[in-house]
Amino acid sequence: MRQAIVAAEDTRFYEHRGVDVRGLLRALVSDATHHRAAQGGSTLTMQYVRNVRKDDPNLTPQQRVDATSDTAARKVQEIRYATALEQRLSKDEILDRYLNIAYFGAGAYGIDAASQKLAVALYKPVVDGVVPVSSARVAEACKILENTYRAVNI
């Protein structure tokens, strides 16, 4: 799972120190071309910083709103925090913390909640215990996981 997240969200996660300059420049060019925020340039570390700040009870309500605003000032602040965080924590610690609070869809925040949602989607309780909803659904989930694994390990 860790490799799949890195492959999907920040392929150079283990190469940069909190900020991927190439990714930021790519996003900036794309955004300018489309005249809107078309691509993200945030690293996993920057995403973790944003997720922590938007729910930080020590911040004012306005500061929490600002933590997710689509502004250059927010991006600069994220860069500063991400750079400082990378000096204090290992990449594995940052990734663990990210995985514990990131949104994975369907109301699931954190990898544990996401895995529980997946289990519910694949299995349906019945009177005699838990049985697969359908073998086709299980096979589909396995195929997705297999393709993710193959893409990450190429």
Side-chain angles (χ1 to χ4, degrees), residues 6 16 18 20 38-39 44 48 59 78-79 87 96 102 111 121 125 131:
V6 169
H16 61 68
D20 181 3
Q39 285 199 6
L44 281 172
Y48 171 69
L59 298 178
E78 274 179 19
I79 289 169
Q87 293 173 0
D96 285 345
I111 198 70
V131 298

Side-chain angles (χ1 to χ4, degrees), residues 7 31 37 40 44 46 50 67 100 153:
D31 293 355
L44 281 172
M46 292 167 67
R50 181 173 47 252
N100 283 324
N153 290 298

Side-chain angles (χ1 to χ4, degrees), residues 56-82:
D56 186 345
N58 297 316
L59 298 178
T60 66
Q62 185 58 52
Q63 287 172 315
R64 289 193 297 271
V65 168
D66 291 346
T68 60
S69 65
D70 200 13
T71 65
R74 181 207 37 114
K75 189 65 82 173
V76 169
Q77 191 170 44
E78 274 179 19
I79 289 169
R80 288 182 30 234
Y81 285 134

Side-chain angles (χ1 to χ4, degrees), residues 95-127:
L95 186 54
D96 285 345
R97 291 177 184 204
Y98 172 85
L99 290 171
N100 283 324
I101 66 169
Y103 182 67
F104 287 94
Y109 287 89
I111 198 70
D112 185 53
S115 65
Q116 290 176 20
K117 292 274 186 182
L118 179 60
V120 169
L122 293 177
Y123 297 94
K124 190 178 198 177
V126 295
V127 176

Side-chain angles (χ1 to χ4, degrees), residues 1-5 7-8 141-154:
M1 184 58 164
R2 296 165 65 86
Q3 291 175 330
I5 293 296
C142 290
K143 184 76 169 169
I144 291 167
L145 292 172
E146 178 184 328
N147 289 338
T148 301
Y149 176 80
R150 194 175 297 131
V152 168
N153 290 298
I154 289 179

